[in-house]
Every structure is written in structure tokens, then in C-alpha cells.
Amino acid sequence: MIKNIIAIASGKGGVGKSTVAVNLATALSLEHKKIGLLDADIYGPSVPLMMGITDKPTGEPQRVNPVMKNNIETMSMAYFVDVDKPAIWRGPMVSMALQQLFNDTVWGDLDYLIIDLPPGTGDVQLTLSQKIPVTGVVIVTTPQEVAVSDARKALKMFQKVNVPILGVVENMSLHRCSQCGHEDAIFGSGGAKAMSEKYHTELLGQLPLDKNIREAMDRGQPSQVVAHYQELAKKIIQKIDKQNLLQSKMPKVVIKDK
């Protein structure tokens, strides 16, 4: 049974969405939660690389066992295709692949399943909102307007399809010089905060542009930099617990047969 499903989304590629998804999953696992991580970026799956996974799933068609790493159950299209070859698929095929990855995986009893979505607001995002019971979505952006403008579109799309917005994460917020310690807002500042205030959601965290994070992801060792994401994990746990509590107190509407 999967208790909660969290989608990690962005309107634009290159903002570090997969890095946030992998490290959030790792941080939640360190909070003694049972975690799954579904790599739904069919065109550019990167979770196995960032997790340092070289194993392949076992099982039979329609009953595939997730690959376990660092106490996290993972599933990705990268386990089944040559990652050096492009997936030249139309939208309906990608949507079907997402549903198969979700439904045909033998997930364990999970507190949270993190779904790393591809960028954009297309077929995969619509399939997710219509076919999979998503608890909430985290929007990832970088501070500059060219990224924030696309993040706003992603946020508004999920609002329109009634998926709760858990909040916004600003990635690559500040760069701190490893030599002198000077902090520089390379991609600007204030973009995610302004968006959060405009759409009445929470700015969950501002994560640094850090060479150590990039190197750890390339090595497949998220545990070495997960400290940056522990406060984010705690906030998300609190928000989902509060959301679930409120929903449990809502009166149930019973429609009687005429």
C-alpha cells in the first residue's frame, strides 16, 4: 500500500528537478519513512545514475520488483532501455509507459512514493493527475524569470486539475565561493518567493548552487549531500500530515438512491 504520492514537477528542464527528487527521497528515508522513487521522465531518465544503481529489476511482466538502493524502492524506464538511445515516442505512448511503470511495479508498503516528472505540462502530467491518486505536488524552479515563468504554468496546471500544491522549491538559489565564502545570486533572487506569495503557497526551501551536490549526483551518492534537503523533507512531512488530518475530518457526503 502506498500512503502518499508526491509529484516533483517543473515547467522547465535544467532546474535540478531530478536532483531534488532523489535527495528528497533520501532525506525522507533518513526520517525513518518507507520510500519509493518513480522516475517518470521517460525521455531523459536519470534517477538510476543519481542513485548509483547498476542492477536491473527482477520479476515477470506486469509484476516487476523495484530495485532497492539505500532503503529506497526505485523504478525507471532506464532499467529497460539503452539510456544512450533516444526515446522517440509520441505522447500517448509516454503516458502508457508511465501507467505501466506505476501499476506493474510490486511496490512495498510505502509512506511516500516520490514521482520525478519530466518538465512541462503535457500528456504525462495530465495522465498523472487523472490516473494516479497524487497527494500533492512540489514545484521546482530556479530564481530567474525565464524559469519562474514556466514554473507558474506548471503550478496553475496542477491547480486546474485539483492536485494540491505542497509548495515551491527554489534550486540553485545562491552560490558560495569555496575559496572566500562570498555568496552570489548567479541566477537572480526573489523569483520563487514572489511566485509563492502570488499563488498563496509556501516557499519550502532555497537550495544552493553547490559543486559538491553536482559531483555527488554524478557519482550516484546522494547520501553525501542530503543534509541540504533534510529541512525540506521535514516540512513536507508536516504539510502532508496536516493535509491528511484535515481531509479525515471532512464530513462524508452520502448520496442515497432514489
Side-chain angles (χ1 to χ4, degrees):
M1 183 182 74
I2 301 172
K3 295 179 182 177
N4 301 286
I5 298 176
I6 304 171
I8 310 298
S10 68
K12 192 173 190 64
V15 298
K17 170 185 53 58
S18 295
T19 297
V20 171
V22 167
N23 283 285
L24 175 60
T26 304
L28 288 169
S29 179
L30 292 176
E31 293 293 321
H32 308 292
K33 304 297 182 181
K34 295 179 180 178
I35 304 301
L37 178 58
L38 173 58
D39 186 354
D41 194 345
I42 306 300
Y43 293 116
S46 54
V47 164
L49 173 64
M50 292 182 172
M51 292 288 292
I53 296 173
T54 57
D55 296 335
K56 298 294 183 183
T58 60
E60 302 174 355
Q62 298 183 329
R63 286 196 62 81
V64 182
N65 298 311
V67 179
M68 182 74 75
K69 185 68 180 288
N70 299 334
N71 295 318
I72 298 172
E73 297 181 13
T74 72
M75 184 51 62
S76 171
M77 183 58 69
Y79 296 144
F80 306 101
V81 299
D82 185 343
V83 295
D84 292 327
K85 293 183 179 179
I88 309 174
W89 294 359
R90 295 187 184 276
M93 292 178 64
V94 176
S95 298
M96 185 178 298
L98 169 60
Q99 292 181 71
Q100 288 182 317
L101 285 175
F102 176 76
N103 293 317
D104 294 352
T105 301
V106 186
W107 302 106
D109 290 330
L110 301 178
D111 294 308
Y112 300 94
L113 175 65
I114 308 298
I115 302 183
D116 179 24
L117 289 173
T121 55
D123 288 332
V124 171
Q125 288 78 9
L126 288 173
T127 296
L128 178 87
S129 60
Q130 294 170 353
K131 303 292 185 180
I132 296 175
V134 180
T135 307
V137 61
V138 174
I139 305 294
V140 179
T141 186
T142 45
Q144 77 273 34
E145 179 58 26
V146 70
V148 172
S149 63
D150 285 340
R152 285 195 292 264
K153 295 172 187 174
L155 186 150
K156 288 191 283 187
M157 188 215 77
F158 283 107
Q159 285 181 332
K160 284 187 176 181
V161 294
N162 298 316
V163 174
I165 308 296
L166 296 174
V168 178
V169 171
E170 185 176 80
N171 201 24
M172 308 182 203
S173 183
L174 280 175
H175 174 258
R176 179 176 295 158
C177 178
S178 59
Q179 300 299 317
C180 67
H182 172 71
E183 292 185 345
D184 192 3
I186 292 175
F187 294 109
S189 62
K193 181 180 180 181
M195 182 175 75
S196 300
E197 291 173 350
K198 180 176 180 179
Y199 294 101
H200 308 290
T201 188
E202 183 177 356
L203 178 59
L204 295 169
Q206 294 172 291
L207 302 168
L209 175 62
D210 191 320
K211 181 179 74 171
N212 294 325
I213 295 176
R214 191 271 302 168
E215 290 177 342
M217 294 297 95
D218 285 347
R219 293 193 304 267
Q221 296 175 322
S223 60
Q224 294 188 356
V225 292
V226 72
H228 291 288
Y229 298 83
Q230 288 176 323
E231 188 63 30
L232 172 62
K234 291 176 182 177
K235 283 186 178 181
I236 288 177
I237 291 172
Q238 291 172 356
K239 287 187 73 72
I240 289 180
D241 285 349
K242 182 179 179 179
Q243 178 177 299
N244 290 341
L245 180 61
L246 288 173
Q247 289 179 347
S248 70
K249 291 182 177 181
M250 291 178 64
K252 293 181 172 59
V253 177
V254 178
I255 301 176
K256 296 182 179 179
D257 293 334
K258 292 183 180 180

